[in-house]
Amino acid sequence: MAIDGEKLRKLRTAKGWSQEKLATMSSVDRRTIQRAESGAPVALETLAFIAEAIEVPPTTLRAAQLEIFEPKERNWNDIVLPPAKSGRRIIEALMASFEAQISFEVEPVIENVKPLAELGTIFETFKPDPWLTPMQRVQWGYTTLLKEQANLNSLLEALAGMGIAVFLATYTAKKQIPSYFVMDGAMVVYGNQDEEEVDIALVVVSDSSAPHLLRQPKDLWPPF
């Protein structure tokens, strides 16, 4: 996968990070970061880990001219989900998305059901709903956000001790965006309305021992 090396460098320096810092945060070596910033192709998984560390969707870092990587083993509509290490990152991804697809792929047992239920409550709180009217949408204050982010960080740590991780990715899809119709006081979509590009958050709670998960959303845009 070819990366826009200049964009990656600008995002890294905007954070005040060295290449060594980004490598550490991405769980890759410095040489990989050097290659990525030079525009050399990297694995889809590597792209996902770098994007997650720098807190942007992987598509943001893709070069305009895409190169096929491992065509026998990979599809262009593969979405790589790295394990999320930050409660803030998860909540911000949910809040910034048009929709969210959330799934629990772990067997609930007495030992894990309490933290899993608390995790589900936080997801339900911040899961985006494009059908909410402007009056129904909640404007979260900094105090609430900080507390929920801290709670989520504690849950991530507790679940990690049980072999459970939250895997996170975002991708682009085309959707009809509802508009507020004042006369009915409701959100509506018109039959001839054009679709627009939006971000979709993909969250999977899993006890998989894999370093990342792969998913193939059917509504990925552009379609490959």
Side-chain angles (χ1 to χ4, degrees), residues 103-107 116 119 159 162-167 203-210 213 215:
S103 61
F104 284 76
E105 300 178 4
V106 56
E107 190 69 26
L116 286 175
L119 189 68
L159 289 169
M162 302 175 188
I164 300 172
V166 177
F167 295 84
V203 182
V204 178
V205 182
S206 174
D207 56 2
S208 171
S209 59
L213 302 181
R215 293 293 183 271

Side-chain angles (χ1 to χ4, degrees):
M1 176 68 67
I3 280 185
D4 186 330
E6 181 61 19
K7 182 178 291 185
L8 173 59
R9 186 190 65 78
K10 288 180 179 178
L11 289 169
R12 172 179 62 78
T13 55
K15 284 182 171 290
W17 289 0
S18 64
Q19 289 183 333
E20 291 87 346
K21 173 70 172 180
L22 178 55
T24 299
M25 298 298 291
S26 308
S27 300
V28 301
D29 57 44
R30 181 189 174 190
R31 178 58 181 160
T32 299
I33 300 300
Q34 291 175 330
R35 292 181 64 252
E37 291 192 356
S38 72
V42 299
L44 280 173
E45 291 84 352
T46 301
L47 171 61
F49 275 79
I50 293 174
E52 176 62 24
I54 216 158
E55 300 182 341
V56 297
T59 51
T60 300
L61 297 178
R62 287 183 179 178
Q65 175 132 12
L66 302 178
E67 298 179 23
I68 294 179
F69 174 76
E70 295 180 356
K72 294 182 180 179
E73 300 179 18
R74 293 286 183 271
N75 296 307
W76 274 121
N77 59 341
D78 278 346
I79 301 297
V80 181
L81 290 83
K85 302 176 182 178
S86 163
R88 178 180 60 82
R89 168 68 176 139
I90 296 172
I91 289 176
E92 287 182 351
L94 290 173
M95 293 176 63
S97 297
F98 176 76
E99 291 178 351
Q101 300 173 12
I102 301 172
S103 61
F104 284 76
E105 300 178 4
V106 56
E107 190 69 26
V109 295
I110 294 299
E111 291 76 17
N112 66 29
V113 68
K114 186 175 185 294
L116 286 175
E118 292 176 1
L119 189 68
T121 298
I122 294 177
F123 288 167
E124 288 172 357
T125 299
F126 293 100
K127 183 178 180 180
D129 183 353
W131 293 99
L132 291 179
T133 67
M135 290 71 72
Q136 293 172 320
R137 293 174 185 168
V138 178
Q139 297 296 322
W140 300 104
Y142 293 119
T143 301
T144 300
L145 282 175
L146 289 170
K147 287 181 178 178
E148 292 299 330
Q149 290 167 0
N151 290 337
L152 188 45
N153 279 326
S154 295
L155 289 172
L156 291 176
E157 184 177 353
L159 289 169
M162 302 175 188
I164 300 172
V166 177
F167 295 84
L168 170 70
T170 58
Y171 67 93
T172 302
K174 274 203 166 185
K175 304 283 185 179
Q176 288 182 317
I177 300 178
S179 301
Y180 182 59
F181 187 58
V182 179
M183 296 296 293
D184 290 343
M187 304 296 288
V188 298
V189 166
Y190 301 98
N192 61 347
Q193 184 174 320
D194 291 335
E195 293 183 329
E196 301 178 45
E197 291 185 20
V198 296
D199 289 332
I200 309 293
L202 191 55
V203 182
V204 178
V205 182
S206 174
D207 56 2
S208 171
S209 59
H212 60 269
L213 302 181
L214 287 176
R215 293 293 183 271
Q216 294 180 347
K218 295 180 180 179
D219 56 352
L220 183 70
W221 182 263
F224 295 112

